[in-house]
Amino acid sequence: MTDRLRRTRLYVPGNNPSMVQNASVFGADSIILDLEDSIPVSEKDAARILVRNALQFLDFSNTEVTVRVNDSSTPFLGDDLFEIIPAKPDAIIIPKVESLKELKKLDIQVTIIEKENDMEVGSIKFMPIIETAIGVVNIEEIASGPRVTVISPGGEDLTADLGIERTKEGAELSYIQSRMVVAAAAAKIQIIDTVFVDVNDIDGLIQSTKKAISMGFHGKSCIHPIQIKPIHEAFLPSPEKIAQAKKIVEAYEKATRDGTGAITVDGRMIDVPVVIRSQRLLERARAGGVDV
Amino acid sequence: MKNAIDREIPDEVKGRKLRPFQGNDGYLPEDRFIPATRMRAHSSSFVRQKKKVLSSLKEALVKVGLKDGMTLSFHHHFRGGDNLMNHAFEIIQKMGVKDLTVNASSVQPVHSPLIPLMESKVITNIEGGANGAPGEAISRGKLDGLLTVRSHGGRARAIDSGDSHIDIAIIGAPTADFMGNLNGTNGRYACGPLGYAWPDARMADNVIAVTNELVSFPNYPVSIPMTLVDWVVHTDVPIGDPKGIVSGTTRITKDPMRLKIASTVIDVLDSAGIIKEGLTFQSGAGGISLASSYFLMEEMLKKKIKGSWAMGGSTAALVDMLDRGLFDYLLDVQAFDVTAVNSLRNNPRHIEIGASCYASPFNAACAVNLLDTIVLGATEVDLNFNANTVTESDGRILHGIGGHQDTSSGAELSILAFPLIRGRVSVVVDNVTTVVTPGESIDVVVTERGVAVNPSSKHFDEITNNKRLNIKSMEELKNEALKLTGPRKPIRFKDNIVGVIENRDGTVLDVIYELAD
């Protein structure tokens, strides 16, 4: 789960039957059936039931299916967990997480529901979204919290909390992104970038994705299926990098077979982290349709 | 007897002998033949004195001798804005004439006033196609005779060959001159080409043009020439409604599902090696087809590829491609939007063609046979790739064929692209309700949930080897849809045959029965 490919994570409003039914067809690596911001208060109940039934009866194929529940300050979280956890999503996305304490409390609630439903304890993973300055300050402990496999910044709420304007270039979030990338790496979990809100600006989306990749993000959230393909293309390594990664992995496999210790490729010593990075790069290339 | 696609076709229905479908290219006429056409002649002084111009359609109908049992033809270039057919039948009904056959390139929902005339047997047969309420009325047995559904190419063939003899062609013309030259690109009711009416003008015993705008001679450029037009009716009764004739500029869909399907279409074309220098293709105005055109344009620009020609129904998208030099020419039998009409009027590389030149299988050459690819839709497709465009999943006749049979038969790579689930039912089924296009004409089915390639397609290996495509069998697509929709309620029919689906060569692909429910 932790290491799976999550180049794209598509938000789908949980109150729209057609969109929920077709959520997995657009090729996103992961989908978020949303019960939070995209659902008006008057439709929270209906969305919760629709998402529960979708989880129980629809085949989402190999797509990772997650549900964004409402945050702990609302009266909806308890009902969300009670309905959604037994329907076994791969993970729940928890908005506005600010502390480890919050996650621990949630872990207890989810554990109780898992036990009541004869589920494996810990099977439902947590994917917190950091949307406040306090959350950023506490990011290291949140990243190493129970069940946490992925963390993400929430761009809109973060800039609002900081009292600054969000721009297309996103320079205002650079410090937060960098800090979160380090926290995720330290906790050995993945980090997925916030959404790019202008669905008509595909060039801007590609730039934003390339920046996220260079910073160390594993994926990018999307608000419209049209954003998936450009993000996947941005994640596609160059033919030169693919060729180099192939050489490294093949050399490593040969060395393993031959029982040789040190590996060199093109005269350079290769250590295990480089091999792992190359394997991941090839996985991204394969997911992008490259025959490697 | 059973035809080549295993459909039971009666030898005869309502006095008409049927020739069963024998496969594409399975039937060709035995020899050349020359159908009889009537000589037209007015004296020179008669024409000079503008006596060819009449002030009412009734007067023209009296002059040509309208009587019981005749066949009248109409074009559908005014689409949802057509007032002429309804106006003509208001007059005809008052004249007390009965048992008429309407041969129209398409009967549209706007022609619903014809339904009571079917019930009163003023109209007893319809040839062409029937969309919306008139089609549904036929499904419910309101037409005494038969609906003969033909593709655009099939209709042209039937008229050219004399299989469908037209007594009176009534041709709505946005502008006409007193000699009878007709033009579709000028005037209040500009609709673009008049190509569907070209066979009618050439072959009908009598040709009546009806216009609201009489312009000075010569009405240039000429679409239908004065040599073929017997009478010009200049009337104040509006022949069309501009709002329904052409839309504003057709815009690309924002529906992510359709965009995804269109994007997959481009991947399929790329796999099959179709996107290459000199490409020829046709696009319609439907959401997926139009989006495919835009994506193709992007791909051609990216690959620095130039096509040779494209074909309409033309839209702003095709015009844009023409203007950018992605094609040398745009061949056009009908226009869907204002941009396309303006382009036909102003751009000499935008060329009007007639329905026979577009798609008739029985002439010396037709354009569809040179297409590299075509992207089409369908209401149903079965496991043998047979496609239905005419009846809905509940058995009602709601659409025509358009160029479906013609383009899919002629193109190098024919693609059906549609959302797998439509109105809560699966589009992929075991057996289509009505076979409209035989599976042998279809190469690929593209849906949002996977791509199925016809095993008999010569592009099978190229496309199925592309790992970026989600390749599935038709059976898998059907089962995937059924998991979401559940099984369909069977349709109950009576024994009465209400319609015949002709292949473009005039053989019979299927028959349509009256609905029981």
Side-chain angles (χ1 to χ4, degrees):
Chain A
M1 278 293 295
T2 309
D3 282 341
R4 70 173 290 158
L5 200 64
R6 293 188 182 93
R7 296 165 300 174
T8 41
R9 194 161 80 158
L10 175 66
Y11 279 95
V12 178
N15 61 344
N16 184 320
S18 164
M19 289 172 86
V20 169
Q21 177 182 287
N22 295 316
S24 65
V25 306
F26 300 107
D29 294 325
S30 182
I31 54 172
I32 301 172
L33 303 176
D34 189 26
L35 301 179
E36 200 218 6
D37 279 354
S38 64
I39 310 300
V41 170
S42 59
E43 291 185 34
K44 293 284 185 192
D45 287 355
R48 194 181 293 127
I49 292 165
L50 181 68
V51 168
R52 179 199 67 194
N53 290 351
L55 287 166
Q56 286 175 338
F57 298 110
L58 294 183
D59 177 6
F60 291 98
S61 189
N62 297 322
T63 313
E64 181 180 53
V65 184
T66 67
V67 178
R68 180 164 74 168
V69 294
N70 290 281
D71 74 79
S72 57
S73 70
T74 68
F76 309 116
L77 179 60
D79 287 340
D80 288 350
L81 296 177
F82 183 73
E83 292 288 352
I84 298 302
I85 299 300
K88 301 179 183 168
D90 291 315
I92 52 171
I93 310 283
I94 311 156
K96 300 182 182 68
V97 174
E98 296 189 325
S99 68
L100 176 62
K101 197 174 150 196
E102 237 179 277
L103 288 180
K104 284 186 171 171
K105 190 177 161 194
L106 209 56
D107 176 42
I108 294 168
Q109 287 175 277
V110 172
T111 299
I112 292 168
I113 299 172
E114 282 174 335
K115 283 183 176 170
E116 278 174 356
N117 289 277
D118 294 328
M119 294 164 63
E120 185 191 334
V121 171
S123 59
I124 306 295
K125 305 299 178 194
F126 289 173
M127 298 181 175
I129 305 180
I130 308 305
E131 301 181 78
T132 61
I134 299 175
V136 177
V137 168
N138 293 327
I139 189 61
E140 287 80 10
E141 63 174 40
I142 291 170
S144 55
R147 299 171 186 257
V148 174
T149 55
V150 173
I151 55 169
S152 314
E156 293 299 316
D157 286 88
L158 268 170
T159 45
D161 194 47
L162 294 170
I164 55 176
E165 197 180 326
R166 193 166 178 206
T167 64
K168 269 191 183 171
E169 295 72 29
E172 68 281 0
L173 289 175
S174 293
Y175 164 70
I176 293 171
Q177 287 173 309
S178 297
R179 182 165 174 184
M180 287 184 68
V181 166
V182 173
K188 300 205 180 318
I189 60 170
Q190 290 189 353
I191 180 159
I192 296 179
D193 196 19
T194 187
V195 297
F196 186 81
V197 290
D198 185 352
V199 293
N200 295 317
D201 183 3
I202 297 299
D203 288 340
L205 171 69
I206 292 168
Q207 291 312 314
S208 171
T209 307
K210 285 187 171 165
K211 183 187 165 203
I213 295 168
S214 70
M215 292 180 84
F217 281 86
H218 298 86
K220 190 155 181 72
S221 303
C222 3
I223 49 171
H224 194 285
I226 202 170
Q227 297 182 316
I228 293 169
K229 200 173 172 187
I231 295 176
H232 285 183
E233 282 173 1
F235 266 95
L236 195 64
S238 68
E240 296 77 28
K241 283 192 174 166
I242 293 171
Q244 181 67 10
K246 227 173 150 180
K247 262 190 191 175
I248 291 168
V249 171
E250 279 167 6
Y252 175 74
E253 285 169 355
K254 185 171 183 302
T256 310
R257 271 198 312 273
D258 299 348
T260 337
I263 313 163
T264 55
V265 171
D266 297 338
R268 288 181 59 192
M269 288 286 291
I270 302 296
D271 52 13
V272 173
V274 175
V275 174
I276 293 171
R277 199 168 63 219
S278 299
Q279 285 169 330
R280 285 185 182 155
L281 185 142
L282 292 180
E283 190 190 353
R284 263 173 28 211
R286 268 191 290 274
V290 179
D291 197 3
V292 287
Chain B
M1 73 166 72
K2 291 216 164 158
N3 66 10
I5 48 167
D6 223 22
R7 293 274 158 158
E8 188 64 46
I9 307 295
D11 295 338
E12 190 176 320
V13 55
K14 296 180 181 173
R16 185 178 149 193
K17 288 199 178 351
L18 304 183
R19 184 187 296 126
F21 174 63
Q22 297 157 43
N24 279 347
D25 296 331
Y27 169 73
L28 285 167
E30 285 169 12
D31 202 353
R32 284 171 180 261
F33 63 100
I34 301 165
T37 55
R38 185 167 151 174
M39 286 298 294
R40 301 185 170 88
H42 290 306
S43 71
S44 56
S45 63
F46 183 90
V47 175
R48 184 182 281 273
Q49 288 165 32
K50 300 191 175 175
K51 287 185 178 171
K52 200 165 152 178
V53 180
L54 306 173
S55 59
S56 83
L57 179 56
K58 183 178 177 183
E59 194 183 350
L61 290 169
V62 170
K63 279 195 184 293
V64 300
L66 173 67
K67 61 178 188 211
D68 291 357
M70 279 188 159
T71 295
L72 283 72
S73 85
F74 299 86
H75 68 68
H76 78 291
H77 286 288
F78 296 157
R79 284 176 285 274
D82 183 51
N83 288 337
L84 181 58
M85 203 185 325
N86 292 341
H87 169 58
F89 275 98
E90 263 177 44
I91 296 168
I92 291 165
Q93 186 183 20
K94 285 181 192 153
M95 290 168 76
V97 184
K98 283 187 173 283
D99 190 21
L100 297 171
T101 294
V102 171
N103 182 335
S105 51
S106 178
V107 173
Q108 300 274 319
V110 72
H111 301 125
S112 295
L114 302 189
I115 296 170
L117 305 191
M118 296 182 207
E119 292 171 300
S120 61
K121 297 188 175 48
V122 172
I123 297 168
T124 47
N125 289 283
I126 295 178
E127 299 179 23
N131 295 262
E136 180 169 355
I138 295 166
S139 281
R140 302 202 181 282
K142 301 207 169 174
L143 190 68
D144 195 44
L146 281 173
L147 168 70
T148 302
V149 191
R150 294 192 179 105
S151 67
H152 290 321
R155 178 176 186 271
R157 173 209 52 80
I159 295 169
D160 288 346
S161 67
D163 273 6
S164 178
H165 178 84
I166 298 169
D167 296 294
I168 304 167
I170 300 174
I171 299 175
T175 59
D177 62 35
F178 78 97
M179 300 283 274
N181 292 304
L182 313 182
N183 167 295
T185 56
N186 296 323
R188 284 198 297 286
Y189 304 125
C191 59
L194 294 174
Y196 291 130
W198 286 16
D200 312 38
R202 198 155 63 85
M203 300 300 294
D205 285 352
N206 300 279
V207 176
I208 301 170
V210 184
T211 191
N212 297 133
E213 295 188 40
L214 198 65
V215 299
S216 57
F217 175 88
N219 183 18
Y220 182 81
V222 176
S223 173
I224 293 175
M226 60 189 182
T227 51
L228 300 175
V229 178
D230 296 291
W231 301 100
V232 177
V233 175
H234 181 208
T235 173
D236 292 336
V237 180
I239 57 173
D241 172 2
K243 282 186 218 144
I245 296 175
V246 285
S247 61
T249 299
T250 36
R251 292 192 190 285
I252 189 168
T253 177
K254 291 200 164 146
D255 176 357
M257 175 92 78
R258 285 175 168 74
L259 289 173
K260 147 119 182 150
I261 294 168
S263 164
T264 308
V265 163
I266 301 306
D267 289 340
V268 168
L269 292 177
D270 206 18
S271 312
I274 295 290
I275 308 176
K276 60 179 189 305
E277 195 68 20
L279 163 75
T280 63
F281 96 110
Q282 179 173 340
S283 163
I288 293 171
S289 186
L290 201 60
S292 303
S293 303
Y294 273 104
F295 291 151
L296 179 64
M297 177 163 68
E298 284 176 4
E299 198 64 21
M300 289 172 75
L301 288 168
K302 201 164 90 187
K303 291 187 167 168
K304 298 189 168 60
I305 279 171
K306 190 178 164 192
S308 52
W309 53 270
M311 192 146 63
S314 57
T315 57
L318 284 178
V319 169
D320 192 18
M321 293 173 95
L322 178 70
D323 290 345
R324 286 180 189 222
L326 289 173
F327 293 99
D328 288 328
Y329 296 100
L330 177 54
L331 308 184
D332 202 1
V333 75
Q334 69 170 324
F336 287 118
D337 60 33
V338 174
T339 310
V341 174
N342 292 339
S343 169
L344 179 65
R345 186 192 307 122
N346 300 320
N347 188 342
R349 291 185 295 121
H350 188 156
I351 301 165
E352 181 173 1
I353 59 173
S356 305
C357 172
Y358 165 50
S360 169
F362 290 175
N363 55 24
C366 67
V368 292
N369 291 346
L370 273 186
L371 285 171
D372 286 330
T373 190
I374 177 74
V375 181
L376 298 159
T379 59
E380 296 176 318
V381 186
D382 68 23
L383 301 183
N384 296 317
F385 290 82
N386 294 316
N388 179 11
T389 65
V390 169
T391 51
E392 278 291 342
S393 56
D394 57 7
R396 288 178 301 160
I397 300 165
L398 285 183
H399 317 279
I401 298 177
H404 205 280
Q405 288 174 356
D406 309 301
T407 52
S408 60
S409 164
E412 166 75 15
L413 185 80
S414 306
I415 298 175
L416 297 183
F418 48 79
L420 184 56
I421 294 162
R422 187 167 170 271
R424 297 185 189 177
V425 295
S426 171
V427 175
V428 178
V429 293
D430 286 321
N431 282 297
V432 290
T433 309
T434 311
V435 179
V436 170
T437 293
E440 65 180 283
S441 296
I442 305 300
D443 293 278
V444 189
V445 163
V446 177
T447 75
E448 77 283 11
R449 288 172 189 271
V451 173
V453 187
N454 192 333
S456 67
S457 168
K458 66 179 175 188
H459 293 284
F460 182 86
D461 288 342
E462 296 161 340
I463 299 169
T464 54
N465 284 339
N466 181 347
K467 291 187 178 160
R468 288 173 67 189
L469 295 171
N470 180 15
I471 301 290
K472 293 193 173 156
S473 68
M474 289 297 273
E475 187 89 35
E476 284 172 322
L477 287 178
K478 183 200 80 176
N479 290 338
E480 197 161 323
L482 276 183
K483 270 199 280 182
L484 295 168
T485 63
R488 222 196 253 189
K489 197 175 145 198
I491 309 166
R492 294 194 311 120
F493 293 105
K494 296 180 182 173
D495 293 334
N496 179 33
I497 291 176
V498 296
V500 170
I501 305 286
E502 274 190 10
N503 189 41
R504 58 198 298 247
D505 62 7
T507 60
V508 176
L509 281 158
D510 213 341
V511 293
I512 306 172
Y513 290 87
E514 184 181 340
L515 282 172
D517 296 316

